[in-house]
Structure formats: C-alpha cells, structure tokens
Amino acid sequence: MPGSVSGGASSAVAASAHASCARFRGTDPLVTGVTRRRLAQDVGHSKGPESAIPLLRWMRAMTFEGLIQDKRFASEVVTTAVGGLGLARPTGVVIRDAGVNVIKTAAVLDAAHKDAIVHGRATLIYHLAVPFVGLDGVDATTTRPDFAVVTPRPQNVDGEVDSSWLIVGDAKDYQRVRAKIDDAKLMKGFLQVALGAESAAQWSQLPAGMEVHTSGVLAVPRNTSLNPTAVIEDLTDYRDEVRMRVVERQNEVARFPDPTTIDPLEHLAHLTAHFDPASCAGCDLFIFCRNELQSSKDPADLLIELGVKPEMRQQAIGLIDKTTPLGPISSSVRSMIEATLSGVGVKSRQRRLDPIGQSGTVHVVMAKSDGATLGVYGIALQRITAQGAGAWDVTVFDNPDSDATRRQIMKLLGKQLFDALSGAVKANTTSPEPIHVVVPDSGTADLLVGIADSIAGAELSRLRWQRDKDQDRPALTFGGEPAVIPPRLPEKDRTAVSFLLEQDRARTMKCRIPIVDLRATLAALVTAGGPSVNSLRVDYLYPWAISGRVTIDFRAHSSVIEKSPHTVGAQLTTPQSNAIHEAFTGDKPGLPRPANPAAYDSLVRDELAYKTDVFDKCVAALDSEFAPSKLRAAVRQVEGDSQIVWRRRLDLHAFDLVRFTRTSRFWRNDNVPLLEADKLFVDQLTILTSPLAAENAAVDAGNRRVAIARVVGTSPYLLEVDSRCIGDQSRVVALHVNGDPCVEKPAVTVKIQKGSFKISNMAIGPVAEISADPRQFEWDPHHDPGVAVGDELIVADFAWFSTNTGDAFLNVPRPSVDQRSAPKPDCTPDSYGDDPASHQYCCKPHEVSEAEWSDELAARRASGRLNPQTWPPIVDPDAFDVAAVGDDLPDPAAEPAVAPPEDLSMDDVE
C-alpha cells in the first residue's frame, strides 16, 4: 500500500463514468501506486499536453473555489443551503479553515458543533480532510470536500438544541451553456459530494451529536460570472452508488496488495478494456487502449475502435472480413465502415437544404478565453451579399473576459445583421429573404447565445432600475444591495441580441435555422471514415467530402487533427490557450494587459486565420460537391415566415429579449401545436430528401410510415414489401429509388403555397395485395416511376403526408407561426398604449413589462417578502449578469497562472 496517493477521491467519482471498464478499475492509484497519467507515460502512451488542464481554466476553478471562503459569498451559500433544506435561520455565519489536515478537521468540526448548539450559528468550513471511506486510521489518501456547513438541528422534545447537521458540499465552476448547467455534470458533482458525505458519516472522529445530512450542496456559478450560488440535492442514491463503487475499489486493491511488484505493461495487458472512442477520451489511458486496438489484426477490434455498438458488431463484421454473412445494420454504420476501409467519404445523396453561401448570411468564428464562461479573445465576421462573400473582418480584444468585450461583439455582429436585414428588405419589401448566422459548430452558437442572454438580462434590469429612479426608489439588486446600472443597449446592437435569443426560443423547432451549424450541415451530406466522434471536428470532416483527392488514412488524419494547435470551433486547444494566456499576463503580476501586446495579437490572429481558412474550405466543398435541393427554397420560406414575426418583436420591443427558459408556461403550452406541426414537417422533409434517414426509418421496427419495397414486376408494377405498415388498398408514394431521392428528379416540381408545399409528378398510387407470403402488391401509380425489376424503393404511406384524394401531387403541410402570443400584422408602437387589454399578450413592450415588475418587487420588498428580510431566502430565478456596488470579483487572469497538479485532468474540473 503506498503511503499517500493524491487523487483517490476523484478517481472514485470518475469510476462512475468508466465503471464498466476492468482496466480502469484495475489501474486505480491505490492499486498501482501512481496516477493513471503517470502510468500512461511509463508505458509510452501519454495523451500529451491535451491531457492537462488549461492554465487559465485551472486558475478560474481555483478562483471560484476561493470565493466560497470570502465572507460575503460564504454567507450567501450558507443561508441558501440552510434555508433550502427547511432549517432554522442561523444567528450568524462563521468561516473556518480546516487546513487540509485530518486532525485539524476534527477539531474544527468539534468547534463548529459547539457553536451550533450553544449560539445557533452556522459554520462554513473549507479545506477539510476526511479519511476515505473504509480507510479510517489508515495512512492513505483522504477525501477532501471543498466545504461543509455545520448548522443546528431542530430542538429536541425538551425544547433544547443538542445536535447539529453536517451538510457536505463541493465547489464546481461548471460553465453554464445557455444559462443552464448540464445535468450530467451536476450528477457527477453530487457523486463527489456523496463521497465526502459517506466518508464523513463513517469517520470515527465525527463529534457526538453531529449527523451527516441526507442532502448535499454544490456551489456553482449563479450566472456567467463567478458569483456562487448553492444547488441542493438528495444524496441517498448517490451514497448508495458510492458504497457500491468503494466495494469494487477495495476488491481491486485486495487483488494487488503490493504496488511495487506490478509491472505496468503486464498489468495493463491482463486487464480488459471496455473501449468507446467517445466516452473514453477523458481517460488518461485512452491512447494506450486505442493503440492496442490499432495494433490488432482482429476485424472485431477495428469495429471497437470505430465505436460500433456491441450488439451490432457481429452483423457488421462481414464488411471487414468479407466472409461473415451480414446482418441487419443501419445505413449510417455501413457508410462509416465503408468510408474507413476505402479512405473516401460516403455521400448520402441528399441535396443541400441549408442557406450557407446565400445572400443574407453572416459567417462567425471566435476564439474563446478559458478565463470566463463568455470570455472571447477575438472574433472574425464575414457577410454574404448578392455580390458574393466579403472579406473577413477580424477583431482582437484586449480585455477578453469583460462585459465591454461582450457588448463590442454584439455591436460588431449587430451591424452585420442590421445591414443584412436592410438588404433583404430592400430587395423584397413584402416578403424579404430571412437572414442567418453561420457558425462552425454548436459550441460557437452556444457562446453567442450566452453573450446575447447576458446583455439582454442587463438591459431588462436597466429598465427595472430606470423605473425605480423615476419613482424615486433606490435601484437594488435581487439581494437588496445597491445596483450598478448598466449602459443602455443601442438599437443596432439589439438586433444581434434579439436575433440570437430568437434562435434560443426557437431551438425546440427543428425546422428553424436562424443559426446554421456548418459542421452539422456537412455531416448530413457525407459520412467520414473513422469513429463518428472524430467528425465532431469540422477540420477532420470536410476533407472526406472532397472528390478526386487521395484516399484518407483515418488514423493518420485523426493524428494530424489531434496534434493541431488550432481548432475551428470557439474552444481552444490546451497549448494554444496556455500560449495566449502567457502572452496576456506576462511572467509577473502587475504588468499591463496584454503584457506582450504583439505576441498576444499575433497568437489570436493566427488562431482566427486557421478558423476562417477551414471555414472557407468547408463552404467551397459544399458549393462544389453538393447540389441544392428543390426543397431548399421551401425550407428558407419556413424560416422567413417566422422571421417576419421576429422582426415585429424587434420593432415593438415585444418579448424579444427573453431566452427560452424564461418564457412563460402559458407561451410554451400555447406553442405545443406549433411544435407538433414542426416535428411532422421536419420528419417528412427528412424522409423525402435523405436516403440514409429514409432507409434507417424503413428498417426501424417502431416506424409504421415508411417501408422498403422491391420491384418484382413492371407490367403492371409489382412490389414486394417487407413491412406490415403497407396493406391492401393502401396508397403509397415512392420516395427513393436505389438510394436516389425522387423529389430531386428533373420532372418533379415544388410549388410554394399558402398552407403547403405542392410537389408534383411524384409516383403515387394505390396498392392491391396479390400474395400474402411473400407480401406482394400490384401498384398503380398516377405518374410512371420508370423503375425496373430488381430496383429497391423506399415508399411511404401517402396518408401520412396528405388527405388528398387524388394521386397527381403530394402536399407537405407548411408549418404555421406564432399567431396568438406574438405581435400581429396590424400591431403598431401605439397599439398597447391605446388598448392594453387587447394587446396584453401580443405586443406589450419590455419597457412596460419591466416597469410593472419593478413596482411588484418594490411592494414585496416594502412588506419584507424579499431577501435579505425573508426566510428561507428566495432564489433569484433570473440570475442576470448584473453587479452590486462594491462587487470586486477576482480576475483569474490577474497574475501568471500556477500549473495544476499533475494527477488532475479536465475530468476533475468538469
């Protein structure tokens, strides 16, 4: 048994994510005596710099953890946690340091216990050290909760307080994406809290009368800044899992009692890896396990390397060994394997529905700072007009993590969108083309929307505080502190903020495309070789779309991309993040920012140059390799319909600065029919245009609308149909013939109508059963499909599309727009003022809504129903990015970074 191995606690938590892997369990630091990162280095398969935590990300995490120790924020976390658990209001809050020492932790807990019983005070303790579960008294690694709260328990039957609660917590600087923390991250964080709670509950030195509470606390950022707030969760299930994992861990340790006798290579060789290219990437042994598979000659190991699911490997192995009979496999898996073996991307035969490259689109790439959730080093924008693509406009920010930078981003984007919108209206005043923002990946879209939401929250707060000033009331934050009033949001800047929040409100509508994801667009048109997770990087994906180039070795290509210092998305690589941060901060505190302006500017511009170069190559590949679909105009028309409503919102300031999670329940319920119509439209559009999606639907046992049919006769047409969704006297429409979409045939036309899209000259007609086994039907289509015996068709039940009685054309219903909870065509800036009752839910401006809410908050505060007077404390549901007078949040980039501990990885931070 080693003396002390750092990271034991976190490894138990990570085991929950990799619990099925025997190799992960067998390389616990308590088994091997070294961390997995060091073990990977010892066997010659380190992940390199990418396995490390970016310096600025680490500094931000440490800065946030330090805020929990600050008196102001500690009191807020304690009161929110204690009040949220329904406990009595403490008489005060005490802060104590346990010094990451087991003996001192015991003494501090004892003092806090007495303080709770005698004085009724709550104590926040940080830097705790508690023996790991089951290792009380053993010189091994400790569990180190970031903090814990000791508070009085309710009075006993004699009316006295003689016991206390120990509420275990952890500080996690989880980034909010679109104002929300990912549930998986929260679960992982609470698992770590549960480990601390279980360790404390089994510790013999816990003071008599102190009991570990069944709930735990995570201190997380309240918004995109570092302001902490408390999230509470019942730990019962988490502690059950911890106990189970601890038993597994103890069993592994028992198998190898002396780590000094372990030969690393032999030890790893006898442990079976449960490899998955997506979920295993966070493990330090990822490169070793992948190399093991790459060195194997077994065809099954290639399927494992590609991430093919276990239940599908036996059916698919024949594609590799060319001898094993093939089983039923999805067309997407087949395409991935074929692309891998041939070194050539497999095109889906779907044509383009996206607006990329068309007039009215604005291309955006960004370089994100790790110092803040919404920090940005630089941005590049390019607008497409009727004359073509303009030059990229590059801007580097000298204060990347500030609110001023976020506002400058909205100003730059707002100008481009305003000009695009003006150009569209000028070209067609009655029905202008929609505008779009095109980004390289979803992460960039999330960053833009997050920035827009932050600024929108500040603007709504400004409107409330303006009302307070008009009524001679003090402008106060939700917590009752004097507020710093933000600047007004200019109208052109508002165009960008409003447009991005329109995308956020519409993200449940799959047919809406205010923001277009370049990577997702390309991925729908071509399947790359190698694991599908590799294609999440567009610089990996786009070469597979280019015809006539040399074949691609997916492993070599993947290695080049992994080692690249640059990315196309907003998130930087670890080496590049570190380099930019070092140029920004310099080598000592107190230097001006950026400390090395020339190096900083050059590094950021180099990063943006890579992003714009790959972006341009992707757009070029789309233009040269993929033809537009006949339904492309229909898709843009759907977006155009919705943007007419958005422009009314923008013009009237009506509900245009609200993200989806702040919409009312009434509005969401009111939009359910629109969601249903949207889903139907997207499903029908996808089946019509995508051969891959249509084939996958046809072989899906749960789908009763689409089926595969084989032509077995032509005079008359005879079809052999596998699915029972097609029966006697059904009417069917042919969607694809031998993998080619019928809607793209030269004879087929698409007409945009008021309520639908009319598709003419499709093969539609009734079928009559002539044989039950095999299931054969005589088909009498109105339009001759021109198929031959042996052709494979994908057909659909015509009734799914339309109630038309004729077979001459196919109608696809056109999704409607919000007509009840949105400004109507006849709404004007004076409509609400002239008739508030009639326009309450359509065009009521933000200025009025926020003034009313300001009055309501003032009334509640006057009656003691708001913080800090009320108990339990009320949690601010909006959590806008606004500051109180005197707020002085520390800057993670204020001084040169300190390297994170070698044994920690992003798994420990995230």
Side-chain angles (χ1 to χ4, degrees):
M1 178 82 62
S4 179
V5 178
S6 176
S10 59
S11 73
V13 176
S16 179
H18 305 286
S20 61
C21 181
R23 179 169 289 166
F24 187 90
R25 296 194 304 270
T27 53
D28 189 292
L30 288 182
V31 173
T32 62
V34 295
T35 64
R36 291 185 182 88
R37 181 178 300 175
R38 177 56 61 85
L39 183 62
Q41 294 171 352
D42 291 344
V43 297
H45 291 287
S46 169
K47 291 174 66 178
E50 280 301 320
S51 66
I53 304 169
L55 293 175
L56 190 51
R57 181 69 183 87
W58 173 249
M59 293 300 291
R60 195 180 85 201
M62 292 300 96
T63 300
F64 180 74
E65 186 176 326
L67 281 177
I68 308 302
Q69 305 159 22
D70 181 272
K71 182 177 181 180
R72 174 191 164 192
F73 296 112
S75 297
E76 183 175 342
V77 169
V78 169
T79 54
T80 303
V82 173
L85 291 172
L87 302 176
R89 188 172 197 162
T91 59
V93 175
V94 181
I95 304 173
R96 300 179 187 270
D97 182 0
V100 198
N101 180 277
V102 175
I103 296 175
K104 188 174 181 180
T105 298
V108 168
L109 285 174
D110 188 61
H113 176 63
K114 293 176 181 177
D115 223 0
I117 293 174
V118 177
H119 302 291
R121 290 194 285 253
T123 302
L124 184 141
I125 307 171
Y126 61 91
H127 289 163
L128 295 92
V130 180
F132 189 81
V133 181
L135 298 179
D136 192 358
V138 179
D139 183 20
T141 187
T142 54
T143 303
R144 301 173 184 177
D146 289 332
F147 69 93
V149 176
V150 178
T151 194
R153 295 185 68 179
Q155 296 176 347
N156 59 24
V157 293
D158 298 323
E160 299 177 346
V161 176
D162 59 0
S163 58
S164 66
W165 284 119
L166 175 64
I167 308 167
V168 180
D170 235 42
K172 288 296 183 183
D173 177 29
Y174 290 145
Q175 296 192 57
R176 289 184 178 269
V177 178
R178 303 192 182 220
K180 185 178 183 298
I181 297 175
D182 182 66
D183 289 339
K185 289 184 178 180
L186 287 176
M187 292 178 66
K188 184 177 177 182
F190 277 114
L191 190 62
Q192 188 161 339
V193 174
L195 178 64
E198 190 64 24
S199 296
Q202 296 188 24
W203 188 23
S204 61
Q205 298 301 309
L206 200 68
M210 178 181 286
E211 185 176 340
V212 177
H213 202 282
T214 54
S215 293
V217 180
L218 269 183
V220 297
R222 180 171 52 202
N223 42 42
T224 56
S225 69
L226 288 176
N227 285 319
T229 189
V231 179
I232 303 167
E233 181 81 6
D234 188 324
L235 297 179
T236 303
D237 292 340
Y238 294 97
R239 288 176 65 174
D240 286 344
E241 182 171 351
V242 163
R243 286 189 286 268
M244 178 180 68
R245 299 302 177 206
V246 166
V247 171
E248 289 181 349
R249 190 182 203 207
Q250 290 170 340
N251 292 338
E252 292 293 339
V253 173
R255 292 174 57 201
F256 307 98
D258 185 3
T260 61
T261 64
I262 292 177
D263 178 87
L265 277 174
E266 289 184 4
H267 183 68
L268 288 171
H270 91 273
L271 296 171
T272 302
H274 184 82
F275 184 84
D276 180 88
S279 62
C280 290
C283 175
D284 284 312
L285 295 173
F286 174 73
I287 301 296
F288 176 86
C289 296
R290 187 176 66 178
N291 182 74
E292 185 179 56
L293 293 170
Q294 292 176 348
S295 302
S296 172
K297 302 299 182 184
D298 187 344
D301 285 341
L302 176 58
L303 295 178
I304 297 173
E305 181 188 353
L306 294 178
V308 177
K309 294 180 179 180
E311 61 271 19
M312 197 174 289
R313 290 173 193 160
Q314 186 57 41
Q315 284 90 336
I317 199 169
L319 291 172
I320 300 175
D321 64 19
K322 309 300 183 185
T323 57
T324 306
L326 290 176
I329 58 174
S330 67
S331 54
S332 55
V333 171
R334 179 190 293 270
S335 296
M336 178 183 66
I337 296 173
E338 289 176 351
T340 299
L341 298 176
S342 67
V344 177
V346 176
K347 295 180 179 177
S348 67
R349 300 192 193 182
Q350 179 179 1
R351 296 193 181 184
R352 293 180 59 186
L353 297 168
D354 64 273
I356 297 173
Q358 294 190 297
S359 177
T361 56
V362 178
H363 300 166
V364 182
V365 296
M366 306 171 79
K368 185 183 181 304
S369 162
D370 283 314
T373 299
L374 302 179
V376 179
Y377 287 123
I379 186 171
L381 302 103
Q382 179 188 56
R383 185 162 67 92
I384 310 300
T385 66
Q387 288 71 44
W392 284 95
D393 182 16
V394 178
T395 304
V396 178
F397 304 109
D398 289 343
N399 195 358
D401 300 337
S402 68
D403 178 69
T405 292
R406 296 193 283 273
R407 289 179 179 272
Q408 181 65 13
I409 290 171
M410 290 298 102
K411 181 178 291 294
L412 294 168
L413 181 58
K415 180 183 184 306
Q416 297 288 351
L417 290 175
F418 184 85
D419 291 346
L421 187 59
S422 299
V425 174
K426 184 177 180 180
N428 188 335
T429 56
T430 57
S431 182
E433 289 286 313
I435 60 175
H436 309 268
V437 170
V438 185
V439 294
D441 64 358
S442 60
T444 305
D446 292 338
L447 179 57
L448 282 171
V449 172
I451 292 173
D453 181 50
S454 174
I455 295 173
E459 175 65 8
L460 297 182
S461 298
R462 185 193 68 81
L463 293 174
R464 296 177 191 174
W465 292 329
Q466 183 61 51
R467 172 66 174 180
D468 287 329
K469 290 176 65 178
D470 294 343
Q471 298 297 311
D472 294 324
R473 297 190 297 252
L476 302 176
T477 66
F478 193 85
E481 300 163 308
V484 176
I485 300 179
R488 177 181 175 275
L489 179 63
E491 284 302 311
K492 281 192 178 180
D493 304 7
R494 187 183 186 124
T495 302
V497 173
S498 177
F499 182 81
L500 294 170
L501 291 177
E502 169 74 5
Q503 192 277 340
D504 189 66
R505 287 192 303 275
R507 57 193 160 116
T508 55
M509 303 280 192
K510 301 304 181 184
C511 68
R512 293 292 313 278
I513 47 171
I515 299 181
V516 183
D517 184 339
L518 177 63
R519 189 215 63 83
T521 298
L522 202 54
L525 301 173
V526 64
T527 300
S532 57
V533 68
N534 289 1
S535 293
L536 294 179
R537 284 193 54 157
V538 72
D539 45 357
Y540 177 90
L541 175 62
Y542 87 86
W544 296 87
I546 301 174
S547 303
R549 60 172 294 152
V550 295
T551 58
I552 300 173
D553 181 331
F554 81 93
R555 290 169 179 162
H557 183 46
S558 175
S559 178
V560 170
I561 299 301
E562 289 173 0
K563 293 176 181 177
S564 170
H566 304 295
T567 65
V568 186
Q571 185 64 51
L572 306 182
T573 63
T574 297
Q576 187 74 349
S577 174
N578 292 347
I580 294 176
H581 175 60
E582 289 167 1
F584 184 76
T585 60
D587 56 2
K588 58 183 178 182
L591 294 175
R593 298 291 186 263
N596 189 338
Y600 173 76
D601 187 82
S602 176
L603 285 166
V604 176
R605 288 184 182 275
D606 285 348
E607 179 68 25
L608 292 172
Y610 178 83
K611 298 176 189 295
T612 57
D613 178 60
V614 175
F615 200 110
D616 288 341
K617 289 176 178 175
C618 290
V619 173
L622 284 171
D623 289 340
S624 63
E625 299 291 335
F626 305 98
S629 171
K630 291 185 176 182
L631 287 167
R632 188 187 201 183
V635 173
R636 278 203 94 183
Q637 184 63 55
V638 170
E639 177 62 26
D641 293 344
S642 295
Q643 286 197 20
I644 290 173
V645 177
W646 164 69
R647 286 196 296 274
R648 292 186 206 135
R649 291 193 188 279
L650 176 64
D651 293 341
L652 301 175
H653 290 193
F655 199 62
D656 70 315
L657 296 182
V658 178
R659 65 176 182 259
F660 177 77
T661 53
R662 292 193 66 243
T663 57
S664 67
R665 183 180 296 275
F666 171 81
W667 183 84
R668 293 196 293 269
N669 289 342
D670 205 37
N671 274 269
V672 169
L674 299 182
L675 280 171
E676 293 172 343
D678 170 85
K679 183 180 185 306
L680 177 63
F681 175 74
V682 171
D683 288 347
Q684 292 176 343
L685 183 73
T686 303
I687 293 298
L688 273 167
T689 59
S690 173
L692 281 178
E695 183 177 343
N696 286 340
V699 299
D700 182 359
N703 188 301
R704 299 186 58 82
R705 304 295 188 185
V706 185
I708 294 176
R710 286 170 294 279
V711 180
V712 295
T714 58
S715 296
Y717 284 115
L718 298 180
L719 303 181
E720 185 174 292
V721 183
D722 293 333
S723 174
R724 294 190 177 277
C725 71
I726 305 298
D728 190 41
Q729 300 307 311
S730 293
R731 293 166 68 208
V732 301
V733 52
L735 303 179
H736 303 270
V737 177
N738 297 328
D740 290 319
C742 297
V743 73
E744 310 296 0
K745 289 183 177 181
V748 174
T749 61
V750 178
K751 182 180 179 180
I752 298 176
Q753 302 184 136
K754 185 176 181 180
S756 66
F757 301 108
K758 179 180 177 181
I759 306 175
S760 301
N761 299 322
M762 297 279 282
I764 305 167
V767 294
E769 187 175 48
I770 60 173
S771 170
D773 187 19
R775 303 187 75 243
Q776 292 187 351
F777 299 85
E778 181 179 320
W779 183 33
D780 184 20
H782 182 84
H783 295 288
D784 190 346
V787 295
V789 173
D791 286 346
E792 184 174 272
L793 279 60
I794 294 181
V795 298
D797 185 351
F798 182 80
W800 181 48
F801 285 96
S802 174
T803 57
N804 288 351
T805 55
D807 298 330
F809 55 84
L810 177 72
N811 269 8
V812 177
R814 181 172 172 173
S816 59
V817 298
D818 188 355
Q819 297 176 340
R820 295 182 58 190
S821 302
K824 298 177 176 60
D826 58 349
C827 287
T828 69
D830 299 323
S831 294
Y832 178 80
D834 294 341
D835 188 0
S838 300
H839 293 269
Q840 175 78 12
Y841 300 109
C842 59
C843 60
K844 184 178 182 179
H846 274 300
E847 286 79 358
V848 175
S849 297
E850 298 309 320
E852 292 177 352
W853 182 234
S854 176
D855 292 343
E856 173 63 22
L857 289 176
R860 293 183 186 181
R861 194 175 303 283
S863 60
R865 291 179 289 150
L866 280 184
N867 301 338
Q869 292 86 3
T870 189
W871 186 264
I874 299 173
V875 177
D876 181 5
D878 291 333
F880 289 148
D881 278 328
V882 291
V885 174
D887 268 0
D888 187 22
L889 291 174
D891 179 8
E895 56 186 49
V898 176
E902 184 190 41
D903 58 298
L904 297 184
S905 68
M906 283 300 293
D907 265 357
D908 299 283
V909 175
E910 295 288 348

